[in-house]
């Protein structure tokens, strides 16, 4: 019960997270956004080490650079693991493909998005899961989109690929659960990022209104009346690692969502 969680699970979880190494896959971020991710990781008291996919030129902060090309991912991460050891937590948060309708989209657009999102995720899981299995502990978290549940108008390629990633992760969750490894998805709605700003601009131009009016319309469809903040999504990811670890200690049926 709760007392067992307090006496046994929480001390174990705290020790586990303090020693865990995390791979943050953030393909598609701009240089200023990398700096924010790095600062957040370095200031977090519960993270002992991290590895950051730095696909922009500024790699002075350290980490492993592998961009979005699948073979570059495989070679760079395999070498990194061989040199530094296993990684127990994988967070995938790849930037979405350009906006536009699904009808008329070029096959090459789907192939690029499928490669960056699903193929690279698969390669990372293939490389990291063996170490997670040896440790008896692993967490894979994919930040996707609410379009998994309800497609978003004007994001045809993104809707298609996000759904594929969700199906992949749910399948993977069932396969890895017996080894103490969970796979979970976070489906954020509109979040105040550069990606959202570009979508607002695109929608405003298509609708013949200014950005402020389009932003007002989009917020009016949100119960809270505002966009989510990036740190709120990050908190959900961190809480997910914590909650799912406690849940697994209490119940063997909670493999992934």
């Amino acid at each position: 019960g709760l007392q067992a969680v307090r006496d046994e699970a929480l001390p174990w979880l705290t020790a586990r997270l303090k020693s865990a190494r995390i791979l943050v896959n953030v393909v598609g971020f701009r240089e200023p956004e990398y700096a924010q991710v790095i600062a957040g990781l370095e200031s977090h008291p519960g993270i002992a080490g991290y590895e950051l996919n730095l696909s922009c030129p500024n790699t002075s902060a350290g980490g492993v650079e592998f961009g979005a090309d699948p073979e570059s991912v495989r070679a760079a991460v395999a070498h990194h693991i061989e040199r530094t050891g296993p990684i127990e937590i994988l967070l995938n948060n790849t930037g979405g493909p350009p906006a536009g309708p699904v009808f008329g989209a070029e096959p090459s657009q789907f192939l690029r998005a499928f490669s960056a999102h699903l193929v690279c995720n698969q390669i990372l899981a293939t490389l990291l899961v063996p170490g997670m299995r040896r440790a008896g502990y692993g967490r894979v978290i994919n930040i996707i989109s609410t379009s998994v549940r309800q497609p978003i108008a004007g994001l045809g390629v993104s809707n298609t690929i996000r759904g594929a990633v969700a199906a992949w992760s749910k399948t993977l969750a069932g396969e890895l659960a017996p080894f103490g490894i969970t796979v979970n998805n976070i489906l954020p709605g509109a979040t105040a990022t550069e990606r959202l700003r570009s979508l607002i601009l695109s929608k405003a131009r298509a609708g013949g209104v200014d950005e402020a009016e389009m932003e007002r319309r989009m917020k009016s469809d949100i119960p809270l009346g505002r966009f989510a903040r990036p740190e709120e999504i990050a908190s959900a990811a961190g809480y997910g690692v914590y909650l799912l670890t406690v849940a697994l200690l209490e119940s063997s049926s909670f493999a992934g969502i």
Side-chain angles (χ1 to χ4, degrees), residues 119-172:
V119 175
C120 286
N121 286 4
Q122 171 69 11
I123 290 173
L124 289 172
T126 301
L127 292 169
L128 270 57
V129 164
M132 296 179 186
R133 287 185 60 172
R134 288 192 295 272
Y137 173 87
R139 297 290 177 266
V140 179
I141 297 179
N142 307 298
I143 298 179
I144 313 181
S145 168
T146 54
S147 64
V148 168
R149 300 188 63 182
Q150 176 62 46
I152 300 172
L155 295 179
V157 175
S158 181
N159 293 337
T160 306
I161 299 305
R162 305 290 191 181
V165 172
W168 167 82
S169 62
K170 184 61 178 176
T171 304
L172 191 64

Side-chain angles (χ1 to χ4, degrees), residues 132-256:
M132 296 179 186
R133 287 185 60 172
R134 288 192 295 272
Y137 173 87
R139 297 290 177 266
V140 179
I141 297 179
N142 307 298
I143 298 179
I144 313 181
S145 168
T146 54
S147 64
V148 168
R149 300 188 63 182
Q150 176 62 46
I152 300 172
L155 295 179
V157 175
S158 181
N159 293 337
T160 306
I161 299 305
R162 305 290 191 181
V165 172
W168 167 82
S169 62
K170 184 61 178 176
T171 304
L172 191 64
E175 295 176 0
L176 299 183
F179 309 105
I181 302 168
T182 61
V183 184
N184 289 274
N185 297 327
I186 295 175
L187 311 181
T191 306
T193 63
E194 288 298 318
R195 163 75 169 172
L196 179 62
R197 182 54 53 191
S198 69
L199 292 177
I200 292 173
L201 178 59
S202 176
K203 287 177 177 288
R205 288 173 175 171
V209 299
D210 60 28
E211 290 183 60
E213 172 59 19
M214 181 54 64
E215 181 173 332
R216 186 196 66 77
R217 293 180 185 180
M218 293 175 67
K219 287 180 177 178
S220 70
D221 292 331
I222 302 172
L224 287 177
R226 67 172 179 84
F227 299 138
R229 297 186 297 272
E231 55 268 29
E232 291 175 311
I233 309 305
S235 294
Y239 183 67
V241 171
Y242 166 85
L243 177 64
L244 289 164
T245 300
V246 173
L248 276 175
L249 290 171
E250 291 290 296
S251 170
S252 60
S253 64
F254 196 13

